[in-house]
Amino acid sequence: MSLSSSDIDELRQAKILLENPGLVARISDVLGTPLEKGFGMLPKKWGQLINEAASKSIAKAMDVALKTMERGQTIEHSANVWHKLAVGASGAVGGAFGLSALLIELPVSTTIMLRSIADVARSEGEDLNSPEAQLECVQVLALGGRSDKDDAAETGYFAARAAMAQAVSEAARQVAQKGLVQRKGAALVQLIAQVASRFSVNVSEKVMAQAVPVVGAVGGAVINTLFMEHFQRMARGHFIVRRLERVHGAEEVKVIYAGL
């Protein structure tokens, strides 16, 4: 079954969302200064600290966010505004107390974001009782951020999905057998590590912005709201693509996406 003109329009919109995240540019616009100015204000080994914080935050968020969703119900619209307000409030804490609050604030904001991603997924017809759908929600945290293992050819949406495909598949089998909260299995640990390596890129950008002295609590809330909006955009684009793939097949959707 070929894609209709309305399907192609939706796919085009998904590509715009997925391939033009613009998180750095949008944060820089809010600050009125290049984001890199916050780089020199970060402590040594900050990259390692952020990656570790990202891994722990994803693991904790998985235990909470998806279990709080009302499953088995399809909704037409996701509650994006409420999630932005909640994550903005957690960002105010991070902005007020700086980097010292990261280990407290990031798990909270990541949990809210993952719940929002799951809400978007459900609105696009995903069955959140499915281990695959649950892990596709987690994978969204890796979209729009590069891994340090990427090469120049591995920067697009489908490249990111391909890089994590095996890890997602193996983790889904593990979750089907043991449940999402059993995080000690090798497959799920590996997936969390892969997602965290990409998620930490976006976290680093957020932290650099919050390191700028003029940001403060109000700015921290705004930056976290932009951070949330980034992943809501990634989620919407990703689950539009998956919805179309369920109807038309993955290969046909990928070919048409590439030509848009």
Side-chain angles (χ1 to χ4, degrees), residues 109-137:
S109 59
T110 303
T111 299
I112 298 168
M113 287 191 296
L114 188 53
R115 191 195 183 284
S116 180
I117 289 166
D119 204 5
V120 172
R122 189 179 63 174
S123 75
E124 292 292 343
E126 295 283 347
D127 176 10
L128 294 181
N129 288 302
S130 160
E132 180 189 5
Q134 293 170 356
L135 294 177
E136 288 292 338
C137 292

Side-chain angles (χ1 to χ4, degrees), residues 39 41-53 99 102 204 207:
F39 182 86
M41 301 170 190
L42 296 174
K44 294 180 180 179
K45 298 184 179 179
W46 63 276
Q48 180 181 343
L49 293 172
I50 289 172
N51 191 68
E52 290 174 357
L99 293 176
L102 179 66
S204 296
V207 170

Side-chain angles (χ1 to χ4, degrees), residues 88-247:
S90 71
V93 174
F97 296 98
L99 293 176
S100 61
L102 179 66
L103 295 179
I104 299 172
E105 180 266 322
L106 188 59
V108 174
S109 59
T110 303
T111 299
I112 298 168
M113 287 191 296
L114 188 53
R115 191 195 183 284
S116 180
I117 289 166
D119 204 5
V120 172
R122 189 179 63 174
S123 75
E124 292 292 343
E126 295 283 347
D127 176 10
L128 294 181
N129 288 302
S130 160
E132 180 189 5
Q134 293 170 356
L135 294 177
E136 288 292 338
C137 292
V138 176
Q139 186 181 209
V140 168
L141 294 173
L143 300 179
R146 294 189 59 185
S147 166
D148 56 9
K149 296 180 181 178
D150 289 348
D151 61 30
E154 295 177 327
T155 58
Y157 164 68
F158 278 102
R161 281 181 68 180
M164 292 181 288
Q166 183 176 352
V168 171
S169 177
E170 292 176 356
R173 284 195 293 270
Q174 178 185 308
V175 171
Q177 294 171 355
K178 301 180 180 180
L180 191 62
V181 297
Q182 300 298 319
R183 293 187 275 104
K184 294 182 180 180
L188 203 49
V189 169
Q190 176 63 25
L191 177 61
I192 290 172
Q194 286 196 10
V195 172
S197 71
R198 294 170 180 271
F199 180 55
S200 62
V201 174
N202 289 303
V203 174
S204 296
E205 291 161 356
K206 181 176 88 76
V207 170
M208 278 193 288
Q210 290 178 323
V212 177
V214 297
V215 171
V218 175
V222 172
I223 289 166
N224 249 31
T225 301
L226 292 174
F227 194 55
M228 164 66 89
E229 188 175 81
H230 167 79
F231 287 107
Q232 287 176 337
R233 287 166 59 89
M234 296 296 102
R236 182 63 64 189
H238 178 56
F239 290 111
I240 287 173
V241 171
R242 277 181 53 83
R243 173 167 52 79
L244 294 173
E245 288 177 341
R246 289 194 293 272
V247 176

